[in-house]
């Protein structure tokens, strides 16, 4: 291809969504990744497209826009390719469960605030919750049903987006590490072991590694590790994404120590995914037995039927954590032409569709579909010292 207009660094779900939206806007795009495509944080995700875990505010607005966009985008890509875009999209809905009397009132209060923001959050009595999930613990005190929660296969989704990029004349290059960005007053190119690639703009979609892409324009983005257990295939045991009420608190916590909560959902293949954990331990990949035990114990608390089910494997990944729990989306004022799309932590799969569109809108000067101000790069919480 001719010199690209934009180089996207990072071929995960967020980078792929940015590249897709930019090529849809008519720009020449090159996607680079230091490893295989969609093999980093994206491959370690559960595929959640959630509104249930976000309180009123800018992240919820971005999540709702992305939830609306995902099925439309997939339909458009299917029509464009003529071959379908099966990314295992399931509008399964979510169920948030309180298993103690103390958790009832906070969960109801959180759901009421979401309803004020336009979220479909329906409070259920214990019998109603068990009608939706027959294997749910009898200890359920109340639950909230979120009809909008969905799931997809994150690797299939990312590769589908990148396929569209290539069909439009874009290019993807795995195993190509970017060692720096050229340009004193604005971006002029990116440096790789194969040489410098001239371009007009760079999108930093490196996930938890985004803070170190450009030394002079660093970001306070840190890795936050998460681990998921995978059971052997089962008949349908879990119909929705189900998690206990303390999950929202774990997501919002800034504590570096281990945070766990019960999160259980099935896949199309019949396996059950069990999470979730959050822990700031740098890029340490070693699994810790106490974390695995905590996840299994909390899953059995929600679904006692899982007690005798074998776990086939566990996998983990690093989420891009921003101290104020908001993504970083926009142009870096310290180096015009450098754009960031990172900091989504565990919500990157769900937020990717709207993030990619927002980057394309801002970069091409179009009216953004969501307010970009809260995600600014130069907010004090994420500007590295």
């Amino acid at each position: 291809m001719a010199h690209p207009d934009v180089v996207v660094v990072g071929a995960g779900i967020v980078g792929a969504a940015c590249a897709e939206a930019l090529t849809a806007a008519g720009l020449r795009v090159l996607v680079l990744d230091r490893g295989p495509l969609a093999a980093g944080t994206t491959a370690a995700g559960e595929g959640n497209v959630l509104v249930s875990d976000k309180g009123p505010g800018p992240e919820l607005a971005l999540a709702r826009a992305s939830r609306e966009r995902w099925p439309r985008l997939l339909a458009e890509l299917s029509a464009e390719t003529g071959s379908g875009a099966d990314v295992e999209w399931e509008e399964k809905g979510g169920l948030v469960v309180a298993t103690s009397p103390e958790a009832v009132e906070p969960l109801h209060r959180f759901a009421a605030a979401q309803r004020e923001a336009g979220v479909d959050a329906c409070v259920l009595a214990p019998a109603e919750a068990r009608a939706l999930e027959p294997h749910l613990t009898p200890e359920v005190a109340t639950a909230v049903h979120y009809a909008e929660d969905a799931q997809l296969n994150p690797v299939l989704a990312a590769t589908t987006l990148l396929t569209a990029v290539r069909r439009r004349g874009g290019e993807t290059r795995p195993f190509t590490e970017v060692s720096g960005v050229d340009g004193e007053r604005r971006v002029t190119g990116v440096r790789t072991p194969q040489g410098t690639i001239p371009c007009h703009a760079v999108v930093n979609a490196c996930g938890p590694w985004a803070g170190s892409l450009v030394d002079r324009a660093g970001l306070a983005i840190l890795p936050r590790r998460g681990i998921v257990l995978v059971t052997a295939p089962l008949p349908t045991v879990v119909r929705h994404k189900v998690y206990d009420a303390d999950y929202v608190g774990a997501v919002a916590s800034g504590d570096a120590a281990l945070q766990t909560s019960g999160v259980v959902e099935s896949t199309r293949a019949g396996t059950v995914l069990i999470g979730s954990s959050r822990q700031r331990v740098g890029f340490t990949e070693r699994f810790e037995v106490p974390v695995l035990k905590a996840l299994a114990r909390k899953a059995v608390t929600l679904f006692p039927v899982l007690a005798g089910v074998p776990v086939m494997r566990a996998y983990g990944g690093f989420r891009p954590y921003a101290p104020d729990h908001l993504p970083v989306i926009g142009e870096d004022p310290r180096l015009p032409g450098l754009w960031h799309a990172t900091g989504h932590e565990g919500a990157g799969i769900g937020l990717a569709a709207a993030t990619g569109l927002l980057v394309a809108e801002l970069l091409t000067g179009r009216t953004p579909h969501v307010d970009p101000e809260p995600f600014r790069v130069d907010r004090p919480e994420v500007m590295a010292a």
Side-chain angles (χ1 to χ4, degrees):
M1 68 183 295
H3 292 323
D5 298 311
V6 184
V7 172
V8 176
V9 186
I13 191 74
V14 171
C18 291
E20 187 283 326
L22 289 164
T23 55
L27 297 175
R28 295 188 305 274
V29 177
L30 170 62
V31 182
L32 305 178
D33 198 290
R34 65 180 183 174
L37 304 179
T41 298
T42 293
E46 296 169 87
N48 296 323
V49 182
L50 305 182
V51 297
S52 56
D53 60 342
K54 299 167 184 67
E59 189 183 24
L60 178 59
L62 190 67
R64 297 189 70 210
S66 205
R67 171 61 180 85
E68 180 183 350
R69 177 167 167 75
W70 261 124
R72 288 191 288 107
L73 176 60
L74 294 173
E76 290 166 6
L77 295 179
S78 292
E80 180 180 335
T81 62
S83 60
D86 184 9
V87 302
E88 300 179 2
W89 173 263
E90 294 184 78
E91 297 185 352
K92 61 170 57 177
L95 197 66
V96 184
V97 178
T99 56
S100 68
E102 300 79 29
V104 172
E105 197 276 331
L107 177 57
H108 287 179
R109 187 170 61 246
F110 184 77
Q114 290 176 304
R115 285 193 297 274
E116 286 289 322
V119 174
D120 183 354
C122 181
V123 174
L124 303 180
E128 294 173 308
R130 286 178 57 81
L132 290 179
E133 289 288 351
H135 296 287
L136 191 64
T137 174
E139 300 301 315
V140 57
T142 190
V144 180
H145 178 240
Y146 292 88
E148 296 165 273
D149 279 2
Q151 185 181 12
L152 51 70
N153 182 310
V155 174
L156 291 179
T159 54
T160 295
L161 294 167
L162 294 173
T163 297
V165 169
R166 289 190 292 269
R167 285 178 60 90
R168 297 167 186 163
E171 186 180 344
T172 56
R173 292 187 199 169
F175 304 105
T176 304
E177 186 162 5
V178 172
S179 58
V181 176
D182 280 349
E184 291 299 322
R185 297 186 178 180
R186 67 167 296 108
V187 165
T188 59
V190 295
R191 295 189 299 276
T192 75
Q194 293 76 37
T196 296
I197 301 171
C199 61
H200 302 299
V202 173
V203 177
N204 174 12
C206 296
W209 298 273
S212 58
L213 178 67
V214 184
D215 290 339
R216 57 189 161 137
L219 298 173
I221 300 295
L222 301 171
R224 202 178 189 194
R225 191 178 67 184
I227 295 173
V228 176
L229 307 180
V230 185
T231 74
L234 303 169
T236 303
V237 172
V238 185
R239 300 174 178 177
H240 304 74
K241 179 183 177 68
V242 182
Y243 58 87
D244 61 38
D246 63 3
Y247 175 77
V248 173
V251 171
S253 171
D255 197 331
L258 175 66
Q259 307 276 320
T260 62
S261 54
V263 181
V264 183
E265 62 190 314
S266 62
T267 69
R268 191 178 290 183
T271 58
V272 175
L273 305 182
I274 296 171
S276 91
S277 67
R278 283 171 162 77
Q279 193 175 18
R280 293 221 312 273
V281 290
F283 286 104
T284 301
E285 295 185 354
R286 183 184 66 254
F287 285 7
E288 298 168 350
V289 172
V291 178
L292 305 180
K293 287 183 175 180
L295 296 179
R297 183 171 58 251
K298 293 198 172 188
V300 171
T301 298
L302 284 175
F303 288 92
V305 69
L306 294 176
V309 175
V311 172
M312 289 195 306
R313 65 187 180 96
Y315 65 89
F318 301 100
R319 308 178 181 104
Y321 166 84
D324 60 356
H325 302 285
L326 285 178
V328 182
I329 306 169
E331 189 173 27
D332 197 313
R334 297 165 293 186
L335 184 60
L338 175 63
W339 296 74
H340 298 289
T342 186
H344 299 76
E345 202 179 325
I349 308 299
L351 299 178
T355 296
L357 180 59
L358 182 58
V359 167
E361 289 166 340
L362 295 172
L363 197 150
T364 59
R366 290 179 288 157
T367 301
H369 72 293
V370 294
D371 181 9
E373 187 69 21
F375 311 113
R376 288 175 60 99
V377 177
D378 58 355
R379 61 189 198 264
E381 293 86 354
V382 296
M383 291 282 275

